[in-house]
Amino acid sequence: MTIEVRPATSFADVATMVGPKRPDATVCWCLSYRIPSKENQALRGTDRGDRVKELLREKPPPGVLAYDADGKVVGWAAVHPRADTSFAGNRKIPHVDDLQVWSIWCVRVRPGHRGTGISHHLLEGAIEFARENGAPAVEGYPVDNRGAKVDLTMAYVGTRALFEKAGFTKAADTDSVLNGFPRVLMRLDLR
């Protein structure tokens, strides 16, 4: 399977991956960790999509998209400097050091394409995107599910095994739990 991962600049493709079926619905849009909590909670309906449009115009954009050989969008990964995310002040996810790391907090594969390895392509693409934009290291905060099934709605954070396959190592435990599984801080040095 040929998968191309590139910076997320198409609003329509981001909407396909993380937007609602109805434009006025209030859903995540992958904003929960990207913008301050107060702003995230205040945004309703189409205002959420409008905020995503703003983020897509920024340099760098807020993530990467995966496309199949036919040019159809099949995946999304959120990646950005940790300092510009809610992880900067998150009390449950520790800071390992003062390095200006980037965070990868959401890996989503389009229904009908899951189980085909796209999440691995997305993670590799997110790493390369961070590297190209000067990141000294990248972090992820996946669940340590030890092979147990993760509820699909909570699988967006990835698994420890996914991150390990991409070369990440566990840097710290966290106080965060998702779907009954502890989350771990995984780190990949890019220097």
Side-chain angles (χ1 to χ4, degrees), residues 39-182:
E39 179 186 2
N40 183 46
Q41 292 176 8
L43 291 173
R44 294 279 173 240
T46 58
D47 291 339
R48 298 183 70 71
D50 291 342
R51 184 65 171 103
V52 170
K53 287 177 186 173
E54 291 174 13
L55 292 172
L56 290 173
R57 288 190 292 267
E58 291 182 4
K59 299 290 183 223
V64 294
L65 292 164
Y67 295 87
D68 67 13
D70 296 327
K72 180 179 177 182
V73 66
V74 294
W76 155 264
V79 54
H80 212 72
R82 181 176 173 154
D84 294 339
T85 71
S86 64
F87 293 110
N90 191 308
R91 286 181 239 127
K92 292 186 176 194
I93 309 249
H95 288 254
V96 175
D97 51 36
D98 291 332
L99 201 59
Q100 296 300 308
V101 301
W102 282 44
S103 296
I104 300 171
W105 65 90
C106 178
V107 178
R108 188 164 193 285
V109 175
R110 193 171 182 175
H113 300 275
R114 295 180 179 137
T116 62
I118 293 172
S119 60
H120 298 278
H121 290 284
L122 279 164
L123 191 51
E124 288 297 331
I127 293 164
E128 188 55 33
F129 177 71
R131 179 183 282 117
E132 289 171 359
N133 282 281
V138 287
E139 290 181 346
Y141 320 105
V143 292
D144 191 357
N145 62 323
R146 298 190 172 108
K149 184 156 179 57
V150 179
D151 182 276
L152 198 53
T153 59
M154 295 298 149
Y156 71 93
V157 299
T159 63
R160 180 177 178 167
L162 171 68
F163 280 80
E164 285 176 338
K165 286 178 186 167
F168 287 71
T169 56
K170 180 181 169 187
D173 288 313
T174 77
D175 291 329
S176 181
V177 175
L178 191 64
N179 194 217
F181 300 110

